[in-house]
Amino acid sequence: MDNISLPYKIENVSAHGRVVRLGSVINEILSRHDYPEPVSALLGEAVVLTAMMASILKFEGRFVIQTQSDGPVSMLVCDARADGSLRGYAKLDEEAFAALGESPTQQDMLGTGHIAFTVDQGADMERYQGIVPLEDNLLTAALAYFAGSEQVQTHVKLTAMPLFRPGGDMEWRAGGIMIQQTALQGGSDTGRTSTQDDWVRMQTLMETTEPDELLDPELSPEQLVYRLYNEDGVRVFDVKDFSFNCGCSRTRIQNMLNSFPEEDILSMQEDGLVTVTCEFCSEVYQFDAQLLKDDPIT
Ligand SMILES: [Zn+2]
């Protein structure tokens, strides 16, 4: 079962979480770019984190995760729309990346900066943004966000990797798991009272999850949570589905170009054509510069 977020709840110890598993969706997102493998893996993890958080938050419009930092990967942008469509891209300085040598860490690639978590619900709606420092890797930044915004103990694991099919074809897969301590309402828990030791045990169990288990097409997310938490009374709920759908279109890009002043259009044109490449999906759109100039929609 791919391209989903599966919510679960552990009844006996006041904890809940999500398992995210992305197959064809992450493969589509990453295949549309030509990033070095470590950069694809980094973006893949960022997309998993986006899907995970989007499946927890209630929102209309878009949920966006964006990094800005001083490393060779100076920016990652991922978003999820309320309908479950996901997309993402990375801004990469290839020379600076090459200078990192073999197997760079996330910290090497990102450097330091910050990461913004934004719920953008459209022009007239409330916009919410949380910003945390990015000093180490995506995971520590995400945990800092959870600690600050939700103020409940949270543990997360993220992974993204290419898998090789028997025929030699490569396919990206990505996955993640998170567990959160359920806030006790008013401190009156009528059932068995869970203790800090229980919570530590839940985290420890989660930490035993191997990247393989998060990605394995033969092991469903449901089987994974039962494998981890069966003895503690785990229940699963309806999944949220994800898809790839960039949402860019010729009309949208033309509208954007039409809002530019004429001299900008002229400076962008080459042999009479203005070429725009969508950063998210690498789709190339070409326009006749003369027509853009003569026929502004606005
Ligand atoms: Zn696009």
Side-chain angles (χ1 to χ4, degrees):
M1 213 186 191
D2 280 348
N3 306 321
I4 56 152
S5 172
L6 175 77
Y8 66 88
K9 192 175 171 200
I10 306 165
E11 303 283 5
N12 297 345
V13 290
S14 303
H16 65 277
R18 293 284 192 286
V19 176
V20 173
R21 172 76 63 80
L22 300 176
S24 57
V25 169
I26 197 64
N27 191 53
E28 181 81 36
I29 292 172
L30 298 177
S31 305
R32 283 172 176 262
H33 303 281
D34 194 20
Y35 304 131
E37 200 176 299
V39 177
S40 289
L42 173 63
L43 179 60
E45 289 194 19
V47 173
V48 172
L49 182 63
T50 307
M52 190 176 271
M53 293 175 70
S55 73
I56 297 168
L57 296 164
K58 298 217 183 331
F59 67 99
E60 296 296 325
R62 295 199 305 155
F63 170 68
V64 189
I65 291 185
Q66 180 168 347
T67 66
Q68 208 137 27
S69 55
D70 60 7
V73 179
S74 57
M75 194 160 91
L76 293 169
V77 186
C78 308
D79 70 15
R81 287 194 293 272
D83 67 1
S85 50
L86 292 171
R87 53 183 196 166
Y89 72 91
K91 207 175 237 178
L92 172 67
D93 178 335
E94 288 181 29
E95 251 173 61
F97 177 81
L100 296 176
E102 294 278 305
S103 320
T105 63
Q106 281 196 7
Q107 189 175 18
D108 296 337
M109 292 188 277
L110 293 165
T112 58
H114 63 264
I115 177 167
F117 302 85
T118 309
V119 176
D120 183 357
Q121 312 203 88
D124 303 328
M125 302 277 285
E126 197 183 341
R127 186 181 154 102
Y128 167 80
Q129 191 170 60
I131 298 178
V132 294
L134 180 60
E135 289 161 339
D136 184 2
N137 56 36
L138 281 180
L139 197 58
T140 45
L143 295 179
Y145 173 81
F146 280 118
S149 80
E150 309 218 347
Q151 306 198 333
V152 283
Q153 295 203 53
T154 307
H155 275 247
V156 180
K157 268 196 160 187
L158 305 169
T159 190
M161 245 183 254
L163 292 195
F164 291 88
R165 295 273 171 195
D169 288 343
M170 193 188 87
E171 246 174 50
W172 279 91
R173 296 182 65 76
I177 185 168
M178 65 108 63
I179 187 167
Q180 229 170 19
Q181 207 169 17
T182 305
L184 296 177
Q185 285 169 357
S188 64
D189 187 8
T190 46
R192 173 182 173 274
T193 313
S194 61
T195 63
Q196 188 61 21
D197 286 352
D198 286 327
W199 170 241
V200 170
R201 192 164 55 79
M202 294 303 104
Q203 288 169 42
T204 310
L205 281 171
M206 199 200 88
E207 292 298 335
T208 64
T209 317
E210 296 291 335
D212 281 1
E213 294 179 291
L214 293 172
L215 305 177
D216 186 357
E218 306 296 322
L219 177 74
S220 74
E222 199 166 334
Q223 287 169 322
L224 174 61
V225 295
Y226 283 122
R227 185 185 277 186
L228 289 171
Y229 298 121
N230 191 30
E231 287 178 15
D232 297 283
V234 68
R235 272 173 61 195
V236 298
F237 300 89
D238 289 346
V239 299
K240 177 169 176 64
D241 293 301
F242 293 103
S243 60
F244 171 77
N245 170 17
C246 184
C248 64
S249 72
R250 195 174 168 80
T251 313
R252 274 189 193 200
I253 289 173
Q254 186 167 354
N255 284 337
M256 178 192 77
L257 290 172
N258 276 324
S259 70
F260 290 178
E262 187 178 320
E263 58 266 32
D264 287 9
I265 297 289
L266 289 176
S267 71
M268 288 166 80
Q269 65 98 25
E270 213 169 293
D271 299 329
L273 289 174
V274 172
T275 305
V276 176
T277 305
C278 174
E279 285 178 298
F280 281 104
C281 70
S282 305
E283 191 74 42
V284 176
Y285 296 94
Q286 282 196 320
F287 301 87
D288 185 317
Q290 194 63 38
L291 287 181
L292 282 176
K293 203 154 67 67
D294 294 346
D295 186 26
I297 290 177
T298 52

